[in-house]
Amino acid sequence: MTDNNNKLLQEADQERRGFLKQGMTIGALSLAASQSLWSRFAMAAEEELVPFTDMPPEFLAPPVAPGATHYLDSRTISSFYTPNDDFYIIQHYGQPTEVAANHSLRVTGLVNKELTLDMAAIRALPKVEIDAGFECGGNSPRLFQGLIGNAKWGGTPLKPLLEEAGIKTDGIEVVFYGIDKGEETIRDVKVEQSFGRSMHITDALNAGAILAYEMNGEALPLYHGAPLRLVVPGWYGVANVKWLSQIHVQDRRFMGRFMGRDYVTLSKQDIGGEVRWEERSVTKIRLKSSIVRVTKSSSGHRISGFVLNDGTPLRAVEISIDGGPWQAATVDTANGQYSWKLFSYDWKGASAGEHTLVSRVIDVNGQVQATQEELPEKPTRWENYAQFPRKVMIG
Ligand SMILES: Nc1nc2c(c(=O)[nH]1)N[C@H]1C(S)=C(S)[C@@H](COP(=O)(O)O)O[C@H]1N2
Ligand SMILES: [Mo]
């Protein structure tokens, strides 16, 4: 089995090493001022980065390259939409080097009418655009949350297509297959399998998923799944099947690797009053915020970060400095429901020395982002949504 991301994701498991202080130079930051509401996020010319002392001086995001995995340097987030070449890239069976010019999508299984659509037929369907941000289910503090991005996705809604095919009454599970294949060893048997993920029919019809062929107004790049990928707003990256070639409706749960073995969170839960070890497929994005950058200008210090969740409206994002009281950060109201939500906080009177900064987000249901200690025991590497304290040195 070739899994070029295993190592990366395994590293994400390991505890963060204690990194050396200072000495960091950020040569690669070219942060043009933006006209948008997000100008608060683009660094102004006189603004400088305050070094994180929990980040290695040599921390470098790998460049986008054929076949490669890519994560971004979260300190460089400077715009609402992540440029296509900075959006993280993950795939488990490698990237196809090319996709057939006559690529088509088939809808098969428990439907009244099986469908085959080439890209021209898909482009001829009604087009929608949605802002959706997501992270890999394996994103974590180890990579300073770099497996993340936010984009405007253009494509056609999934629901009308499923309705056109007509779901039979016993069709309860919808499986999405990409063209990429890998060898899997299952109980000592080696078999070839395609990347596949599934959703219950209710989610497939109601989660607002689209079949996307555009990213930020451009043709979807090959790395991000061209010519066609699924985008399920508010779900972890793994749901967004790239190089999509088949949608299959069946009467049973799909148990493929990325539903049944990997991207399965093992955690200790209260299951109706019983404490049980639960295994649950990674689906909707958990409520999470993280600080990614601290800057200094003539007017003082600014702390910036992002929020991701499943689309539930937010009540507040708050910052605590050195264990002090929670203070409200500014979250722009122009955020889309499923976009990431960038926030900033003007830090007054920062004194010289090392400081610990942490953010937390609260949604309208009163759900509060917890600390790592407060969360249920979780030995698996997926779904890292605890508060992430950061350390900075004020000179
Ligand atoms: N066909 C296919 N789709 C896939 C994957 C894959 O390995 N093969 N990886 C998934 C995972 S784990 C993630 S996190 C996202 C990453 O999407 P991106 O590379 O466009 O950021 O793609 C998902 N879609
Ligand atoms: Mo992922």
Side-chain angles (χ1 to χ4, degrees):
M1 182 190 81
T2 58
D3 186 339
N4 61 4
N5 298 310
N6 238 2
K7 189 162 163 283
L8 177 73
L9 293 174
Q10 254 152 26
E11 281 171 7
D13 268 352
Q14 294 161 9
E15 279 190 26
R16 270 179 313 133
R17 296 175 275 149
F19 289 120
L20 290 173
K21 298 181 177 186
Q22 296 274 30
M24 179 177 62
T25 52
I26 312 286
L29 288 186
S30 64
L31 303 171
S34 141
Q35 297 292 3
S36 75
L37 290 156
W38 301 97
S39 54
R40 278 176 78 85
F41 231 81
M43 267 172 71
E46 85 282 2
E47 243 179 318
E48 51 182 81
L49 282 178
V50 175
F52 283 118
T53 52
D54 57 6
M55 204 166 186
E58 72 276 13
F59 184 85
L60 255 191
V64 170
T69 287
H70 170 72
Y71 50 89
L72 58 77
D73 179 339
S74 54
R75 290 168 299 184
T76 67
I77 294 173
S78 63
S79 56
F80 180 58
Y81 296 113
T82 310
N84 291 357
D85 277 349
D86 209 19
F87 203 106
Y88 83 96
I89 299 175
I90 287 275
Q91 52 281 310
H92 293 272
Y93 298 139
Q95 290 163 2
T97 47
E98 56 179 359
V99 179
N102 63 350
H103 179 86
S104 63
L105 171 70
R106 296 172 61 222
V107 184
T108 59
L110 295 172
V111 291
N112 297 325
K113 182 175 62 168
E114 295 202 339
L115 305 174
T116 302
L117 297 98
D118 63 14
M119 286 307 298
I122 288 170
R123 285 203 186 86
L125 295 170
K127 185 181 167 190
V128 292
E129 289 189 317
I130 50 167
D131 289 344
F134 57 84
E135 62 175 1
C136 176
N139 200 21
S140 80
R142 173 68 181 79
L143 296 174
F144 303 94
Q145 317 288 12
L147 293 170
I148 189 174
N150 185 64
K152 181 180 285 298
W153 306 93
T156 194
L158 172 65
K159 183 178 180 170
L161 201 68
L162 293 177
E163 287 169 344
E164 158 82 8
I167 308 292
K168 292 193 166 155
T169 43
D170 49 352
I172 56 153
E173 183 88 344
V174 184
V175 191
F176 301 86
Y177 289 106
I179 61 168
D180 47 330
K181 294 187 163 104
E183 188 180 81
E184 297 289 351
T185 305
I186 302 165
R187 296 234 166 188
D188 299 335
V189 182
K190 285 194 195 323
V191 293
E192 186 183 63
Q193 288 192 326
S194 301
F195 182 88
R197 276 280 304 192
S198 72
M199 291 194 291
H200 188 271
I201 185 68
T202 309
D203 290 323
L205 292 173
N206 301 328
I210 68 166
L211 306 171
Y213 47 81
E214 278 179 13
M215 182 176 186
N216 291 325
E218 293 166 21
L220 185 67
L222 181 63
Y223 310 146
H224 292 295
L228 193 66
R229 82 179 299 174
L230 186 69
V231 173
V232 191
W235 288 45
Y236 281 101
V238 68
N240 301 328
V241 177
K242 304 197 274 191
W243 313 295
L244 181 68
S245 63
Q246 188 179 3
I247 300 176
H248 187 75
V249 183
Q250 59 190 47
D251 67 353
R252 295 293 140 93
R253 295 282 309 280
F254 170 75
M255 299 296 288
R257 171 177 161 197
F258 301 97
M259 289 301 292
R261 301 197 296 288
D262 264 357
Y263 290 87
V264 172
T265 296
L266 172 66
S267 67
K268 217 174 206 176
Q269 298 289 345
D270 177 336
I271 306 287
E274 303 282 344
V275 177
R276 298 185 190 278
W277 283 100
E278 183 199 50
E279 291 157 281
R280 180 186 283 234
S281 200
V282 168
T283 56
K284 292 181 187 176
I285 302 174
R286 307 274 192 171
L287 182 66
K288 166 176 183 173
S289 74
S290 183
I291 291 170
V292 296
R293 188 167 78 212
V294 179
T295 55
K296 183 192 173 189
S297 69
S298 49
S299 56
H301 291 85
R302 175 169 287 170
I303 300 169
S304 309
F306 70 82
V307 171
L308 275 182
N309 77 341
D310 63 1
T312 305
L314 306 183
R315 182 183 292 166
V317 180
E318 298 174 333
I319 303 285
S320 165
I321 296 164
D322 298 324
W326 291 102
Q327 317 263 4
T330 304
V331 187
D332 203 293
T333 48
N335 288 305
Q337 184 181 3
Y338 297 108
S339 73
W340 65 13
K341 287 112 186 130
L342 302 179
F343 65 82
S344 65
Y345 174 80
D346 289 325
W347 180 13
K348 305 270 185 260
S351 58
E354 194 175 52
H355 297 277
T356 302
L357 319 172
V358 68
S359 68
R360 72 172 183 186
V361 53
I362 304 167
D363 71 16
V364 290
N365 300 326
Q367 198 188 339
V368 182
Q369 183 187 8
T371 63
Q372 193 66 61
E373 296 68 39
E374 289 164 345
L375 286 173
E377 222 178 306
K378 177 182 77 70
T380 42
R381 68 176 81 135
W382 317 110
E383 303 185 80
N384 303 298
Y385 55 101
Q387 292 174 23
F388 179 25
R390 305 299 310 267
K391 286 193 189 305
V392 286
M393 181 61 74
I394 301 295

